[in-house]
Amino acid sequence: TTRGVVAEFSEVKLLALLDAPLETRGTLYFVPPDKLARVTRDPAATRLLLVGDHMRFEDEAGASDIDLSQNPVARQFANNLIVLWRGDRSALEALYRLDFKAEGARWTLGLAPKSAPLDRFIRLIRIEGEGPAIRDMELLESDGDRTHTVFEKTEVDHAFGPEEDLAIFGPRAAP
């Protein structure tokens, strides 16, 4: 029921191939039903856009575009992110076994993939929140890697004006 979400995030990725964790900071923007932007500022500026059937990734090396209708694996990745932020229970239940627990306004949601291709990559997603806001998310991958994301300064009913929407979700020239 939100008009939009804006949340600052800090993320730590623990990868078996690396001796040290990868740390990222940035902002996540979501406009229902299908617009999501993940913009990092630290350690480098990047932008991942999901808008309908289109995915775009930008960094200092340039930009790449994917037509999600032509790429089932990328479509699954995009759908996974969108249904989480949209809070689409029926879509989540189609993809995952849900384990939901609540105590007052605080809640925890465990998501275990039901089938391929998600189960080849994801073992479990654990999300914690309070009221309508996601506060903490941990992704456990099938290979043992893990990503822990903390969301702060979350605005759960942000009204994006036309200029702000264009600045965040609009096209940008390749560097």
mmCIF file of all heavy atoms in Angstrom, residues 1-7 28-36 82-88 131-134 154-160:
data_model
loop_
_atom_site.group_PDB
_atom_site.id
_atom_site.type_symbol
_atom_site.label_atom_id
_atom_site.label_comp_id
_atom_site.label_asym_id
_atom_site.label_seq_id
_atom_site.Cartn_x
_atom_site.Cartn_y
_atom_site.Cartn_z
ATOM 1 N N THR A 1 0.815 -1.206 0.000
ATOM 2 C CA THR A 1 0.000 0.000 0.000
ATOM 3 C C THR A 1 0.855 1.265 0.000
ATOM 4 O O THR A 1 0.329 2.352 0.062
ATOM 5 C CB THR A 1 -0.932 0.005 1.220
ATOM 6 O OG1 THR A 1 -0.142 -0.010 2.404
ATOM 7 C CG2 THR A 1 -1.882 -1.191 1.181
ATOM 8 N N THR A 2 2.154 1.124 -0.069
ATOM 9 C CA THR A 2 3.036 2.286 -0.047
ATOM 10 C C THR A 2 3.078 2.999 -1.395
ATOM 11 O O THR A 2 2.903 2.381 -2.447
ATOM 12 C CB THR A 2 4.466 1.884 0.354
ATOM 13 O OG1 THR A 2 5.277 3.055 0.390
ATOM 14 C CG2 THR A 2 5.084 0.909 -0.629
ATOM 15 N N ARG A 3 3.312 4.308 -1.361
ATOM 16 C CA ARG A 3 3.556 5.064 -2.594
ATOM 17 C C ARG A 3 4.996 4.852 -3.042
ATOM 18 O O ARG A 3 5.305 4.973 -4.219
ATOM 19 C CB ARG A 3 3.294 6.539 -2.366
ATOM 20 C CG ARG A 3 1.813 6.841 -2.157
ATOM 21 C CD ARG A 3 1.591 8.291 -1.877
ATOM 22 N NE ARG A 3 2.080 8.567 -0.527
ATOM 23 C CZ ARG A 3 2.143 9.763 0.028
ATOM 24 N NH1 ARG A 3 1.782 10.820 -0.647
ATOM 25 N NH2 ARG A 3 2.570 9.920 1.265
ATOM 26 N N GLY A 4 5.882 4.578 -2.083
ATOM 27 C CA GLY A 4 7.283 4.348 -2.405
ATOM 28 C C GLY A 4 8.109 4.178 -1.154
ATOM 29 O O GLY A 4 7.668 4.498 -0.048
ATOM 30 N N VAL A 5 9.304 3.651 -1.325
ATOM 31 C CA VAL A 5 10.224 3.417 -0.216
ATOM 32 C C VAL A 5 11.580 4.008 -0.570
ATOM 33 O O VAL A 5 12.049 3.871 -1.699
ATOM 34 C CB VAL A 5 10.387 1.903 0.073
ATOM 35 C CG1 VAL A 5 11.417 1.656 1.164
ATOM 36 C CG2 VAL A 5 9.059 1.271 0.437
ATOM 37 N N VAL A 6 12.181 4.661 0.416
ATOM 38 C CA VAL A 6 13.563 5.123 0.316
ATOM 39 C C VAL A 6 14.258 4.641 1.582
ATOM 40 O O VAL A 6 13.753 4.852 2.689
ATOM 41 C CB VAL A 6 13.670 6.662 0.229
ATOM 42 C CG1 VAL A 6 15.129 7.109 0.200
ATOM 43 C CG2 VAL A 6 12.929 7.185 -0.983
ATOM 44 N N ALA A 7 15.404 3.968 1.434
ATOM 45 C CA ALA A 7 16.123 3.459 2.599
ATOM 46 C C ALA A 7 17.625 3.508 2.358
ATOM 47 O O ALA A 7 18.102 3.088 1.305
ATOM 48 C CB ALA A 7 15.693 2.030 2.907
ATOM 49 N N LEU A 28 18.477 2.631 -1.405
ATOM 50 C CA LEU A 28 17.551 1.838 -2.183
ATOM 51 C C LEU A 28 16.267 2.636 -2.366
ATOM 52 O O LEU A 28 15.789 3.275 -1.427
ATOM 53 C CB LEU A 28 17.244 0.523 -1.449
ATOM 54 C CG LEU A 28 16.373 -0.412 -2.272
ATOM 55 C CD1 LEU A 28 17.030 -1.764 -2.376
ATOM 56 C CD2 LEU A 28 15.008 -0.519 -1.659
ATOM 57 N N TYR A 29 15.735 2.611 -3.585
ATOM 58 C CA TYR A 29 14.494 3.306 -3.923
ATOM 59 C C TYR A 29 13.536 2.294 -4.538
ATOM 60 O O TYR A 29 13.931 1.510 -5.408
ATOM 61 C CB TYR A 29 14.752 4.406 -4.955
ATOM 62 C CG TYR A 29 15.797 5.410 -4.561
ATOM 63 C CD1 TYR A 29 17.132 5.221 -4.904
ATOM 64 C CD2 TYR A 29 15.442 6.556 -3.855
ATOM 65 C CE1 TYR A 29 18.092 6.154 -4.539
ATOM 66 C CE2 TYR A 29 16.406 7.493 -3.496
ATOM 67 C CZ TYR A 29 17.732 7.282 -3.847
ATOM 68 O OH TYR A 29 18.685 8.210 -3.490
ATOM 69 N N PHE A 30 12.280 2.325 -4.111
ATOM 70 C CA PHE A 30 11.283 1.420 -4.671
ATOM 71 C C PHE A 30 9.981 2.170 -4.899
ATOM 72 O O PHE A 30 9.495 2.870 -4.010
ATOM 73 C CB PHE A 30 11.028 0.234 -3.737
ATOM 74 C CG PHE A 30 9.921 -0.661 -4.201
ATOM 75 C CD1 PHE A 30 10.061 -1.423 -5.355
ATOM 76 C CD2 PHE A 30 8.729 -0.727 -3.508
ATOM 77 C CE1 PHE A 30 9.029 -2.227 -5.806
ATOM 78 C CE2 PHE A 30 7.685 -1.537 -3.951
ATOM 79 C CZ PHE A 30 7.835 -2.292 -5.103
ATOM 80 N N VAL A 31 9.432 2.023 -6.115
ATOM 81 C CA VAL A 31 8.128 2.579 -6.459
ATOM 82 C C VAL A 31 7.287 1.414 -6.979
ATOM 83 O O VAL A 31 7.639 0.798 -7.990
ATOM 84 C CB VAL A 31 8.220 3.681 -7.534
ATOM 85 C CG1 VAL A 31 6.828 4.176 -7.902
ATOM 86 C CG2 VAL A 31 9.099 4.824 -7.067
ATOM 87 N N PRO A 32 6.200 1.084 -6.273
ATOM 88 C CA PRO A 32 5.351 -0.014 -6.730
ATOM 89 C C PRO A 32 4.746 0.307 -8.095
ATOM 90 O O PRO A 32 4.516 1.473 -8.390
ATOM 91 C CB PRO A 32 4.247 -0.090 -5.670
ATOM 92 C CG PRO A 32 4.762 0.677 -4.506
ATOM 93 C CD PRO A 32 5.735 1.675 -5.036
ATOM 94 N N PRO A 33 4.515 -0.663 -8.937
ATOM 95 C CA PRO A 33 4.671 -2.067 -8.611
ATOM 96 C C PRO A 33 6.019 -2.654 -8.994
ATOM 97 O O PRO A 33 6.395 -3.704 -8.496
ATOM 98 C CB PRO A 33 3.564 -2.728 -9.443
ATOM 99 C CG PRO A 33 3.490 -1.874 -10.678
ATOM 100 C CD PRO A 33 3.774 -0.472 -10.204
ATOM 101 N N ASP A 34 6.806 -1.968 -9.868
ATOM 102 C CA ASP A 34 7.968 -2.667 -10.418
ATOM 103 C C ASP A 34 9.178 -1.777 -10.730
ATOM 104 O O ASP A 34 9.920 -2.043 -11.662
ATOM 105 C CB ASP A 34 7.563 -3.426 -11.680
ATOM 106 C CG ASP A 34 7.075 -2.510 -12.793
ATOM 107 O OD1 ASP A 34 7.000 -1.286 -12.585
ATOM 108 O OD2 ASP A 34 6.766 -3.034 -13.880
ATOM 109 N N LYS A 35 9.387 -0.735 -9.937
ATOM 110 C CA LYS A 35 10.554 0.127 -10.150
ATOM 111 C C LYS A 35 11.437 0.079 -8.905
ATOM 112 O O LYS A 35 10.995 0.441 -7.818
ATOM 113 C CB LYS A 35 10.115 1.564 -10.422
ATOM 114 C CG LYS A 35 9.445 1.734 -11.765
ATOM 115 C CD LYS A 35 8.778 3.078 -11.924
ATOM 116 C CE LYS A 35 9.721 4.216 -12.072
ATOM 117 N NZ LYS A 35 9.038 5.470 -12.462
ATOM 118 N N LEU A 36 12.658 -0.381 -9.078
ATOM 119 C CA LEU A 36 13.600 -0.469 -7.978
ATOM 120 C C LEU A 36 14.952 0.051 -8.442
ATOM 121 O O LEU A 36 15.393 -0.280 -9.546
ATOM 122 C CB LEU A 36 13.724 -1.917 -7.496
ATOM 123 C CG LEU A 36 14.596 -2.104 -6.259
ATOM 124 C CD1 LEU A 36 13.882 -3.002 -5.258
ATOM 125 C CD2 LEU A 36 15.932 -2.704 -6.607
ATOM 126 N N ILE A 82 11.911 -7.508 -6.526
ATOM 127 C CA ILE A 82 10.667 -6.735 -6.599
ATOM 128 C C ILE A 82 9.610 -7.275 -5.642
ATOM 129 O O ILE A 82 8.979 -6.515 -4.910
ATOM 130 C CB ILE A 82 10.136 -6.690 -8.050
ATOM 131 C CG1 ILE A 82 11.087 -5.894 -8.953
ATOM 132 C CG2 ILE A 82 8.721 -6.130 -8.103
ATOM 133 C CD1 ILE A 82 11.193 -4.420 -8.652
ATOM 134 N N VAL A 83 9.402 -8.611 -5.615
ATOM 135 C CA VAL A 83 8.343 -9.146 -4.755
ATOM 136 C C VAL A 83 8.665 -8.945 -3.280
ATOM 137 O O VAL A 83 7.759 -8.772 -2.462
ATOM 138 C CB VAL A 83 7.984 -10.626 -5.041
ATOM 139 C CG1 VAL A 83 7.494 -10.793 -6.458
ATOM 140 C CG2 VAL A 83 9.113 -11.572 -4.741
ATOM 141 N N LEU A 84 9.952 -8.929 -2.923
ATOM 142 C CA LEU A 84 10.319 -8.647 -1.529
ATOM 143 C C LEU A 84 9.887 -7.249 -1.133
ATOM 144 O O LEU A 84 9.256 -7.050 -0.096
ATOM 145 C CB LEU A 84 11.830 -8.783 -1.330
ATOM 146 C CG LEU A 84 12.387 -10.186 -1.242
ATOM 147 C CD1 LEU A 84 13.910 -10.140 -1.226
ATOM 148 C CD2 LEU A 84 11.859 -10.916 -0.031
ATOM 149 N N TRP A 85 10.206 -6.270 -1.964
ATOM 150 C CA TRP A 85 9.886 -4.877 -1.617
ATOM 151 C C TRP A 85 8.416 -4.550 -1.814
ATOM 152 O O TRP A 85 7.871 -3.689 -1.145
ATOM 153 C CB TRP A 85 10.792 -3.916 -2.388
ATOM 154 C CG TRP A 85 12.149 -3.950 -1.794
ATOM 155 C CD1 TRP A 85 13.225 -4.658 -2.232
ATOM 156 C CD2 TRP A 85 12.558 -3.321 -0.586
ATOM 157 N NE1 TRP A 85 14.259 -4.504 -1.372
ATOM 158 C CE2 TRP A 85 13.894 -3.680 -0.352
ATOM 159 C CE3 TRP A 85 11.923 -2.481 0.329
ATOM 160 C CZ2 TRP A 85 14.604 -3.238 0.744
ATOM 161 C CZ3 TRP A 85 12.633 -2.032 1.426
ATOM 162 C CH2 TRP A 85 13.954 -2.405 1.623
ATOM 163 N N ARG A 86 7.772 -5.263 -2.714
ATOM 164 C CA ARG A 86 6.351 -5.035 -2.917
ATOM 165 C C ARG A 86 5.522 -5.693 -1.817
ATOM 166 O O ARG A 86 4.368 -5.334 -1.605
ATOM 167 C CB ARG A 86 5.952 -5.573 -4.295
ATOM 168 C CG ARG A 86 4.621 -5.072 -4.762
ATOM 169 C CD ARG A 86 4.343 -5.394 -6.220
ATOM 170 N NE ARG A 86 4.458 -6.810 -6.491
ATOM 171 C CZ ARG A 86 4.924 -7.318 -7.622
ATOM 172 N NH1 ARG A 86 5.322 -6.530 -8.593
ATOM 173 N NH2 ARG A 86 4.986 -8.602 -7.804
ATOM 174 N N GLY A 87 6.121 -6.666 -1.107
ATOM 175 C CA GLY A 87 5.386 -7.367 -0.062
ATOM 176 C C GLY A 87 4.269 -8.208 -0.647
ATOM 177 O O GLY A 87 3.214 -8.369 -0.043
ATOM 178 N N ASP A 88 4.505 -8.767 -1.805
ATOM 179 C CA ASP A 88 3.512 -9.538 -2.540
ATOM 180 C C ASP A 88 3.480 -10.968 -1.997
ATOM 181 O O ASP A 88 4.252 -11.828 -2.423
ATOM 182 C CB ASP A 88 3.868 -9.519 -4.025
ATOM 183 C CG ASP A 88 2.844 -10.177 -4.908
ATOM 184 O OD1 ASP A 88 2.081 -11.033 -4.427
ATOM 185 O OD2 ASP A 88 2.817 -9.829 -6.102
ATOM 186 N N GLY A 131 7.061 -2.955 12.165
ATOM 187 C CA GLY A 131 5.968 -2.309 11.457
ATOM 188 C C GLY A 131 6.117 -2.571 9.971
ATOM 189 O O GLY A 131 6.440 -3.683 9.563
ATOM 190 N N PRO A 132 5.962 -1.550 9.142
ATOM 191 C CA PRO A 132 6.061 -1.759 7.699
ATOM 192 C C PRO A 132 7.499 -1.728 7.158
ATOM 193 O O PRO A 132 7.710 -1.952 5.975
ATOM 194 C CB PRO A 132 5.259 -0.592 7.128
ATOM 195 C CG PRO A 132 5.437 0.488 8.140
ATOM 196 C CD PRO A 132 5.480 -0.208 9.478
ATOM 197 N N ALA A 133 8.483 -1.473 8.004
ATOM 198 C CA ALA A 133 9.857 -1.260 7.529
ATOM 199 C C ALA A 133 10.731 -2.500 7.687
ATOM 200 O O ALA A 133 10.755 -3.133 8.741
ATOM 201 C CB ALA A 133 10.497 -0.095 8.274
ATOM 202 N N ILE A 134 11.468 -2.827 6.629
ATOM 203 C CA ILE A 134 12.521 -3.840 6.700
ATOM 204 C C ILE A 134 13.723 -3.179 7.350
ATOM 205 O O ILE A 134 14.142 -2.091 6.954
ATOM 206 C CB ILE A 134 12.883 -4.353 5.292
ATOM 207 C CG1 ILE A 134 11.702 -5.100 4.671
ATOM 208 C CG2 ILE A 134 14.108 -5.248 5.350
ATOM 209 C CD1 ILE A 134 11.927 -5.515 3.225
ATOM 210 N N THR A 154 14.703 4.665 6.933
ATOM 211 C CA THR A 154 13.734 4.138 5.984
ATOM 212 C C THR A 154 12.458 4.973 5.988
ATOM 213 O O THR A 154 11.863 5.200 7.029
ATOM 214 C CB THR A 154 13.394 2.668 6.331
ATOM 215 O OG1 THR A 154 14.610 1.909 6.334
ATOM 216 C CG2 THR A 154 12.419 2.083 5.334
ATOM 217 N N GLU A 155 12.087 5.431 4.806
ATOM 218 C CA GLU A 155 10.828 6.145 4.623
ATOM 219 C C GLU A 155 9.916 5.196 3.848
ATOM 220 O O GLU A 155 10.202 4.864 2.693
ATOM 221 C CB GLU A 155 11.064 7.434 3.840
ATOM 222 C CG GLU A 155 9.846 8.303 3.741
ATOM 223 C CD GLU A 155 10.111 9.581 2.951
ATOM 224 O OE1 GLU A 155 11.272 9.953 2.738
ATOM 225 O OE2 GLU A 155 9.108 10.195 2.528
ATOM 226 N N VAL A 156 8.841 4.719 4.497
ATOM 227 C CA VAL A 156 8.026 3.657 3.910
ATOM 228 C C VAL A 156 6.830 4.135 3.096
ATOM 229 O O VAL A 156 6.116 3.326 2.524
ATOM 230 C CB VAL A 156 7.549 2.646 4.984
ATOM 231 C CG1 VAL A 156 8.724 1.914 5.590
ATOM 232 C CG2 VAL A 156 6.701 3.332 6.025
ATOM 233 N N ASP A 157 6.598 5.430 3.030
ATOM 234 C CA ASP A 157 5.505 5.946 2.202
ATOM 235 C C ASP A 157 5.954 7.227 1.494
ATOM 236 O O ASP A 157 5.323 8.267 1.596
ATOM 237 C CB ASP A 157 4.240 6.189 3.034
ATOM 238 C CG ASP A 157 3.007 6.362 2.154
ATOM 239 O OD1 ASP A 157 2.996 5.837 1.018
ATOM 240 O OD2 ASP A 157 2.059 7.023 2.597
ATOM 241 N N HIS A 158 7.063 7.097 0.766
ATOM 242 C CA HIS A 158 7.650 8.244 0.078
ATOM 243 C C HIS A 158 6.883 8.525 -1.215
ATOM 244 O O HIS A 158 6.650 7.624 -2.012
ATOM 245 C CB HIS A 158 9.118 7.948 -0.233
ATOM 246 C CG HIS A 158 9.835 9.102 -0.834
ATOM 247 N ND1 HIS A 158 10.348 10.116 -0.079
ATOM 248 C CD2 HIS A 158 10.105 9.409 -2.126
ATOM 249 C CE1 HIS A 158 10.926 11.004 -0.876
ATOM 250 N NE2 HIS A 158 10.784 10.596 -2.119
ATOM 251 N N ALA A 159 6.510 9.763 -1.421
ATOM 252 C CA ALA A 159 5.849 10.175 -2.657
ATOM 253 C C ALA A 159 6.908 10.756 -3.599
ATOM 254 O O ALA A 159 7.426 11.842 -3.361
ATOM 255 C CB ALA A 159 4.765 11.207 -2.363
ATOM 256 N N PHE A 160 7.252 10.017 -4.624
ATOM 257 C CA PHE A 160 8.241 10.470 -5.599
ATOM 258 C C PHE A 160 7.591 11.457 -6.553
ATOM 259 O O PHE A 160 6.609 11.135 -7.217
ATOM 260 C CB PHE A 160 8.790 9.284 -6.411
ATOM 261 C CG PHE A 160 9.686 8.373 -5.632
ATOM 262 C CD1 PHE A 160 9.160 7.329 -4.882
ATOM 263 C CD2 PHE A 160 11.056 8.551 -5.639
ATOM 264 C CE1 PHE A 160 9.980 6.480 -4.167
ATOM 265 C CE2 PHE A 160 11.888 7.714 -4.918
ATOM 266 C CZ PHE A 160 11.341 6.671 -4.179
#
